[in-house]
């Protein structure tokens, strides 16, 4: 069965590659002309994100924000002789689809960089495809440490793929940051830990648990849920019977919202805490009034409060995008802008035109990219990780997220 599936997937990937090669940099449903540009050479910035399904609120915010960066670069003629165009593909939050999308991007020789994906598990499936093709990938949202520091990152950090970068900080920082807030600020001592068994959720729950126990907190129960279901009553009952005074959930808002609601309905009037995967307006819609008091950590400082983000927020509104930029908007803009800056370096070093080995040159240039972005200073360390390690704790208050504390993890 495994071999037959592999043959089918390989055939599908090949078909997708042939289709895209034939079309070049077409402007289909996922494409954008990204405004009027500066000249004859078109450079495509790919975007991979969930554009449909439960996580589409975050995915569409990623796509729109990257599109805004391309439009801005074209308007300002940031790279002489280059027009940037965004082409977005929907990964549906599924690693297998993300891998197919990676192959499609690779097949289009106009693609010199890709923004995305949202999910760490999808990122895992794409890395080797991009790295083999020397195509740079900059994720605004992947937070699992192993993507940049290897599977043994806790004992020995080894960078697996030179072409992979991210503007978001990692769960090695986010999980412990949440644990410190829950223990030191919220004064919670007994936690029930739940995760969705996925790369992101399980990894985040693990780093939170480690720090919470180190601080002196007690884990009074653990549970793994099926992310394809919305009935969490059995888990909610376990939480109620455990005596926990807080729940930590490693996962995303489509499950976190109903989970929070059902935990409260079971009689456990305690806050649910999660990571950036639950920091969305859709969490509030799904959890209802019972979500008040729930907490989420997210990468960086609140975009609305950053002086560096004022222009981004105003321009996003002016462009009239139908969807909000959501949690990763600023990071998506900065991810796309990092690709634009890398292309600029490569063009300027080659007498104003793109070299034949542009992809390889862009990967090399990305390592030294540094600029003042929407989210603050944007640059990358030796692993391809963001040098900006700031995080924020948000609380649901009167049906809206509000920031309650910003800072960096002190380990």
């Amino acid at each position: 069965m495994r071999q037959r599936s592999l043959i089918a997937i390989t055939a599908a990937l090949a078909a997708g590659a042939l289709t895209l090669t034939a079309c070049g940099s077409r402007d289909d449903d996922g494409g954008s002309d990204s405004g009027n540009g500066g000249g004859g050479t078109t450079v495509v910035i790919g975007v991979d994100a969930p554009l449909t399904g439960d996580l589409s609120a975050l995915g569409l915010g990623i796509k729109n924000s990257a599109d805004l960066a391309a439009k801005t670069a074209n308007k300002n003629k940031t790279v002489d002789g280059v027009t940037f165009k965004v082409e977005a593909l929907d990964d549906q939050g599924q690693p297998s689809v993300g891998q197919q999308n990676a192959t499609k991007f690779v097949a289009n020789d106009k693609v010199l960089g890709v923004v995305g994906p949202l999910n760490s598990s999808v990122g895992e499936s794409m890395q080797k495809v991009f790295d083999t093709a020397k195509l740079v990938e900059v994720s605004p949202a992947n937070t699992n440490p192993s993507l940049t520091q290897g599977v043994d990152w806790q004992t020995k950090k080894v960078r697996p793929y030179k072409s992979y970068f991210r503007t978001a900080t990692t769960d090695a920082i986010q999980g412990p940051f949440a644990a410190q807030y829950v223990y030191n600020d919220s004064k919670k001592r007994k936690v029930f830990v739940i995760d969705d068994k996925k790369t992101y959720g399980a990894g985040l729950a693990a780093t939170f648990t480690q720090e919470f126990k180190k601080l002196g907190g007690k884990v009074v129960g653990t549970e793994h849920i099926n992310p394809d279901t919305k009935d969490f009553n059995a888990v909610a009952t376990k939480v109620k019977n455990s005596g926990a005074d807080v729940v930590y959930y490693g996962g995303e808002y489509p499950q976190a919202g109903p989970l929070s609601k059902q935990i409260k309905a079971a009689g456990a009037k305690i806050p649910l805490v999660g990571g950036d995967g639950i920091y969305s307006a859709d969490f509030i819609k799904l959890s209802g009034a019972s979500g008040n008091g729930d907490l989420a950590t997210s990468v960086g400082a609140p975009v609305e409060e950053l002086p560096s983000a004022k222009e981004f927020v105003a321009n996003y509104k002016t462009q009239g995008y139908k969807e909000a930029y959501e949690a990763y908007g600023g990071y998506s803009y900065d991810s796309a802008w990092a690709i634009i800056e890398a292309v600029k370096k490569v063009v300027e070093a080659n007498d104003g035109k793109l070299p034949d080995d542009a992809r390889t040159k862009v990967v090399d240039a990305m390592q030294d990219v540094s600029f003042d972005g929407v989210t603050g200073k944007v640059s990358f360390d030796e692993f391809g990780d963001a040098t900006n390690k700031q995080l924020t704790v948000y609380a649901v208050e009167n049906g809206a997220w509000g920031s309650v504390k910003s800072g960096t993890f002190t380990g």
Side-chain angles (χ1 to χ4, degrees):
M1 186 71 181
R2 179 185 175 87
Q3 189 174 7
R4 189 177 299 170
S5 298
L6 203 57
I7 292 169
I9 290 169
T10 303
L13 292 178
L18 287 170
T19 301
L20 194 69
T21 304
C23 293
S25 60
R26 71 195 192 286
D27 189 21
D28 58 13
D29 292 343
S32 164
D33 62 10
S34 298
N36 296 319
T41 303
T42 297
V43 169
V44 174
I45 298 175
V47 174
D48 179 87
L51 305 179
T52 58
D54 285 347
L55 295 169
S56 61
L58 296 176
L60 290 165
I62 289 172
K63 174 194 167 187
N64 294 345
S65 301
D67 181 66
L68 179 59
K71 279 185 165 72
T72 303
N74 291 340
K75 180 183 176 184
N76 297 339
K77 294 182 171 55
T78 301
V79 185
D80 283 340
V82 172
T83 298
F84 291 96
K85 176 180 176 181
V86 164
E87 181 175 298
L89 295 178
D90 180 11
D91 63 30
Q92 301 164 37
Q94 299 298 322
S96 60
V97 180
Q99 192 173 64
Q100 292 175 42
N101 290 349
T103 301
K104 290 178 183 178
F105 284 131
V106 166
N108 182 353
D109 60 9
K110 290 185 181 293
V111 177
L112 294 189
V114 177
V115 174
L118 169 69
N119 305 82
S120 291
S121 56
V122 177
E124 257 181 337
S125 76
M126 304 175 88
Q127 285 181 303
K128 186 171 176 55
V129 178
F130 285 138
D131 203 64
T132 301
K134 304 293 187 285
L135 179 58
V136 80
E137 171 188 16
V138 188
S139 174
N142 290 170
T143 53
N144 189 278
S146 66
L147 296 176
T148 47
Q149 300 171 20
V151 292
D152 299 320
W153 62 270
Q154 287 180 303
T155 54
K156 185 182 180 184
K157 293 179 173 62
V158 178
R159 185 175 185 176
Y161 298 105
K162 187 182 175 185
S163 65
Y164 179 88
F165 296 81
R166 55 179 153 201
T167 53
T169 195
T170 75
D171 295 333
I173 298 169
Q174 185 176 193
F177 183 74
Q180 289 188 353
Y181 183 85
V182 169
Y183 189 89
N184 295 327
D185 296 76
S186 293
K187 308 297 182 187
K188 304 298 184 185
R189 296 293 181 263
K190 294 183 290 183
V191 65
F192 196 106
V193 180
I194 305 168
D195 70 65
D196 63 1
K197 299 183 283 190
K198 294 200 284 188
T199 303
Y200 163 73
L204 186 58
T207 58
F208 171 90
T209 299
Q210 186 177 21
E211 181 68 15
F212 191 74
K213 288 164 75 173
K214 181 178 160 187
L215 291 167
K218 184 179 180 183
V219 177
V220 295
T222 59
E223 193 64 62
H224 308 286
I225 64 160
N226 178 359
D228 295 326
T229 186
K230 295 292 190 297
D231 182 0
F232 306 117
N233 284 304
V235 179
T237 300
K238 288 182 182 179
V239 172
K240 169 68 169 64
N241 294 336
S242 71
D245 53 14
V246 64
V247 170
Y248 189 82
Y249 176 65
E252 294 148 336
Y253 66 82
Q255 296 75 37
L259 178 62
S260 172
K261 195 172 191 176
Q262 290 169 42
I263 285 170
K264 270 80 163 182
K269 308 296 184 185
I270 58 177
L272 180 141
V273 183
D276 52 324
I278 80 166
Y279 178 54
S280 168
D282 281 26
F283 170 83
I284 296 170
K285 292 176 190 172
L286 292 166
S287 60
S290 60
N292 274 325
D294 287 347
L295 302 164
T297 52
S298 192
V299 293
V303 167
E304 296 81 6
E305 296 174 16
L306 289 172
S308 58
K310 280 190 169 71
E311 189 177 355
F312 164 75
V313 173
N315 289 346
Y316 194 96
K317 186 176 181 181
T318 300
Q319 284 297 327
Y321 295 112
K322 294 176 187 174
E323 305 86 11
Y325 50 78
E326 286 280 350
Y328 304 107
Y331 293 89
S332 304
Y333 186 99
D334 285 347
S335 294
W337 201 263
I339 293 170
I340 291 163
E341 287 287 338
V343 170
K344 184 179 181 181
K345 282 176 179 283
V346 170
V347 168
E348 289 178 349
N350 194 53
D351 298 324
K353 58 184 184 299
L354 284 171
D356 292 337
D357 60 345
R359 281 183 175 175
T360 300
K361 290 283 201 305
V362 168
V363 171
D364 293 338
M366 185 63 72
Q367 191 62 55
D368 297 320
V369 159
S370 180
F371 62 94
D372 294 320
V374 170
T375 59
K377 187 74 172 178
V378 178
S379 59
F380 306 100
D381 65 16
E382 68 269 31
F383 300 103
D385 281 328
T387 54
N388 183 353
K389 310 292 187 186
Q390 191 169 34
L391 289 147
T392 300
V393 178
Y394 297 87
V396 180
E397 297 167 355
N398 301 317
W401 289 108
S403 61
V404 292
K405 185 174 185 176
S406 290
T408 55
F409 168 63
T410 51

